[in-house]
Amino acid sequence: DIQMTQSPSSLSASVGDRVTITCRASQTINNYLNWYQQKAGRAPSLLISAASNLQSGVPARFSGSGSGTDFTLTISSLQPEDFATYYCQQDYTTPYSFGQGTELEMK
Amino acid sequence: QVQLVQSGAEVKKPGASVRVSCKASGYTFTSYNINWVRQATGQGLEWMGWMNPNSGNTGYAQRFQGRVTMTRDTSISTAYMDLNSLRSEDTAVYYCTTLDQGLWGQGTQVTVSS
């Protein structure tokens, strides 16, 4: 099974900061990597698919990069609505697996 | 409106079974696989398995093999997830999702308690 490891597990930042979250797969997954945002009490929301494809309606301050085993999610200028938990997920092979999550908190 | 709408909260006793439904609307139900993901309170996301609504083919995570069954009724564009032999550790919110097509149900709270 492929293990997904995110770092950091939590992050304190301020509005306007540039933030980067990393996700590492235990074996190559090409670009089969999705990023989700989840707010308390809500279902996750897909931000980026296939490592770098921004979903319709997602602000351009979000971007994704990487291939193989190492991936990043970057928020170029944090907005108040971005404080949430972020998950990466591989859909290269089953069992599909999620990272443990990164909780982004307001400093 | 493209959406997945799930059935309501359930409270079950240990050893019982639960069925969660997931009704698709606004798109062709057979176009995308339905996955089931669960999340215990304060915990991360756990993938349980997938189902192809067209063929009915399924694949389950090893830890749920023998306890979970995913089915569908294409006539009403609805997917089902049955989980049996429930234990307290199965208490969680259960989601249906198309994953990289971006559709998620609203979640169904399943509570297992004596």
Side-chain angles (χ1 to χ4, degrees):
Chain A
D1 296 0
I2 297 176
Q3 310 303 317
M4 305 300 293
T5 303
Q6 285 182 236
S7 61
S9 295
S10 63
L11 175 59
S12 295
S14 301
V15 172
D17 284 353
R18 180 182 180 89
V19 167
T20 297
I21 297 168
T22 64
C23 180
R24 175 165 289 177
S26 60
Q27 63 190 75
T28 184
I29 57 171
N30 293 340
N31 69 335
Y32 288 83
L33 191 283
N34 303 318
W35 288 100
Y36 300 88
Q37 178 192 69
Q38 187 178 33
K39 296 183 178 180
R42 305 287 297 275
S45 175
L46 180 65
L47 298 174
I48 289 171
S49 65
S52 61
N53 290 345
L54 195 67
Q55 295 300 291
S56 175
V58 175
R61 62 181 179 272
F62 290 91
S63 64
S65 65
S67 185
T69 60
D70 294 319
F71 302 86
T72 61
L73 172 70
T74 299
I75 309 172
S76 60
S77 178
L78 267 177
Q79 298 303 299
E81 61 269 29
D82 300 337
F83 293 97
T85 301
Y86 294 85
Y87 294 93
C88 62
Q89 176 250 330
Q90 66 83 16
D91 57 358
Y92 177 72
T93 187
T94 59
Y96 299 150
S97 44
F98 291 87
Q100 80 277 17
T102 296
E103 187 175 3
L104 181 52
E105 302 172 319
M106 192 177 299
K107 186 182 289 184
Chain B
Q1 184 179 1
V2 180
Q3 60 181 355
L4 298 172
V5 178
Q6 299 182 220
S7 49
E10 302 269 8
V11 179
K12 297 292 183 181
K13 294 193 181 303
S17 299
V18 69
R19 165 170 280 198
V20 180
S21 67
C22 171
K23 183 172 177 60
S25 61
Y27 74 99
T28 301
F29 175 60
T30 51
S31 294
Y32 307 126
N33 288 351
I34 295 288
N35 296 262
W36 290 88
V37 172
R38 76 178 188 180
Q39 185 173 38
T41 302
Q43 302 302 306
L45 301 167
E46 179 177 28
W47 182 82
M48 300 178 67
W50 66 272
M51 181 196 64
N52 181 311
N54 189 39
S55 65
N57 289 345
T58 56
Y60 305 135
Q62 183 69 32
R63 64 173 295 179
F64 298 107
Q65 286 275 3
R67 280 210 305 145
V68 70
T69 305
M70 297 176 186
T71 58
R72 89 289 191 214
D73 184 339
T74 55
S75 69
I76 55 171
S77 299
T78 299
Y80 301 96
M81 189 280 297
D82 294 300
L83 187 63
N84 57 36
S85 301
L86 289 169
R87 35 211 189 228
S88 58
E89 310 90 88
D90 294 317
T91 295
V93 176
Y94 290 75
Y95 294 102
C96 60
T97 172
T98 59
L99 287 179
D100 63 355
Q101 285 76 36
L103 289 176
W104 287 71
Q106 81 275 21
T108 297
Q109 175 69 51
V110 174
T111 302
V112 183
S113 173
S114 55

